[in-house]
């Protein structure tokens, strides 16, 4: 199992110099990749391009590029550019985001997500292979008919002959699509104990196109996990996770459509998931965070003393995770670097 560092959203409490130091230290420690996110603040592409010129070996992952914010051709252009700037280190992660961001920020209707994602990836692959973009799908039409547009091809070539495309997904249908069309799958709030259940969807999607997934040398399962390693304060480490988990389980989406809440229910926390959501949507965020069961936090986070975290790292590895993206829940540069060093050391021990 390889390690990645997830630096999340830019500009939330750390300076650019702080973030660069964290990434460069991760590279020195042997972390395989760095991933950056976007919602409605910093964009991922600018950060990756900036990092490309100040690192030399660590791979650069978009975790994720938001599909509603870019055409498939624009995403291919961006990925090819970063691949050139980094001499072939780009990992292309995409996702549909959620209905609130898609419709509220980008003005793109959140519909036909499975078909839209399938076609989006097909167009990206054609573009990255420098084929002329003639494509006729349900959600993408290139060139547009009855107009001046013509089929064009990318004028630059990515360094990688085959750039890995990762799909962020947690629902069964989207996860199946990852098994069908992607090179990697980026789940959120992944419980290693439930990974065999979730892999059934990957295998179902792969089988639908006669594909066999190679989890050792090919298809990459690449979740992100929050980490807070302490000497003996398990409760304090769990508390560091609560605001993030409460946001996702309680408030990342509407009452009718919250993918993370549904996932937690699939893990067996039906009552807790509903309670956290009710409290969060009532504006009682601290109470929602307090209502998260300790058992749930332990399932989807790396928390507490080193022995506990070492066991959980082993659980992720043994479950079939290929790349584990580590997101330190610490609030200064030095504290985050200390967490990354601790995880790297524990990985050496397993």
């Amino acid at each position: 199992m390889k390690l990645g560092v997830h630096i999340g959203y830019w500009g939330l409490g750390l300076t650019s110099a702080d973030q660069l130091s964290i990434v460069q230290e991760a590279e020195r420690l042997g972390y395989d990749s760095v991933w950056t996110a976007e919602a409605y603040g910093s964009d991922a592409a600018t950060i990756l391009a900036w990092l490309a010129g100040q690192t030399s070996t660590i791979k650069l992952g978009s975790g994720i590029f938001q599909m509603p914010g870019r055409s498939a051709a624009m995403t291919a252009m961006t990925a090819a550019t970063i691949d050139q700037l980094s001499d072939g280190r780009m990992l292309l992660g995409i996702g549909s985001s959620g209905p609130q961001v898609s419709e509220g920020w980008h003005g793109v209707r959140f519909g036909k997500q499975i078909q839209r994602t399938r076609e989006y990836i097909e167009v990206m692959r054609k573009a990255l292979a420098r084929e002329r973009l003639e494509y006729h799908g349900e959600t993408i039409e290139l060139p547009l008919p009855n107009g001046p547009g013509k089929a064009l091809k990318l004028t630059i070539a990515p360094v990688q002959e085959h750039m890995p495309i990762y799909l962020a997904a947690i629902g069964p249908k989207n996860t199946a699509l990852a098994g069908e069309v992607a090179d990697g799958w980026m789940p959120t709030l992944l419980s290693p104990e439930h990974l065999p259940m979730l892999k059934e969807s990957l295998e179902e999607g792969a089988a639908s196109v006669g594909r066999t997934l190679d989890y050792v040398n090919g298809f990459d399962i690449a979740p992100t996990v929050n980490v807070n390693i302490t000497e003996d304060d398990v409760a304090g480490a769990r508390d560091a996770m609560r605001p993030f988990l409460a946001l996702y389980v309680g408030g990342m989406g509407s009452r009718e459509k919250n993918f993370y809440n549904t996932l937690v229910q699939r893990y067996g926390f039906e009552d807790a998931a509903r309670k956290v959501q009710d409290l969060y949507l009532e504006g009682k965020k601290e109470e929602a965070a307090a209502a998260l069961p300790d058992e749930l936090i332990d399932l989807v986070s790396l928390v507490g003393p080193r022995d506990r975290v070492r066991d959980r790292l082993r659980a992720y590895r043994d479950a079939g995770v290929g790349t584990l993206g580590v997101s330190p829940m610490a609030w200064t540069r030095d504290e985050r670097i200390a967490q990354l060093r601790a995880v790297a050391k524990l990985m050496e021990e397993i």
Side-chain angles (χ1 to χ4, degrees), residues 270-340:
E270 294 92 345
D271 292 342
R274 294 189 189 98
K275 181 178 181 180
V276 170
Q277 186 178 60
D278 287 343
L279 289 168
Y280 202 95
L281 295 180
E282 291 170 7
K284 302 174 181 177
K285 296 180 180 180
E286 292 185 3
E287 292 180 42
L292 289 162
D294 291 348
E295 295 81 6
L296 172 59
I297 297 173
D298 291 348
L299 271 181
V300 300
S301 311
L302 299 174
V303 292
R306 284 170 170 75
D307 288 347
R308 286 173 55 94
V309 173
R310 185 188 299 110
D311 289 343
R312 295 306 290 164
L313 287 169
R314 188 178 291 114
Y316 279 101
R317 183 199 63 187
D318 293 348
V321 169
T323 301
L324 188 67
V326 175
S327 181
M329 298 301 282
W331 318 121
T332 69
R333 178 197 63 184
D334 291 345
E335 288 172 341
R336 289 197 179 192
I337 287 175
Q339 292 287 320
L340 293 179

Side-chain angles (χ1 to χ4, degrees), residues 59-76:
K59 295 173 185 174
L60 305 166
S62 53
I64 56 168
F65 286 157
Q66 295 177 4
M67 290 166 48
R70 300 175 179 84
S71 70
M74 184 69 228
T75 299

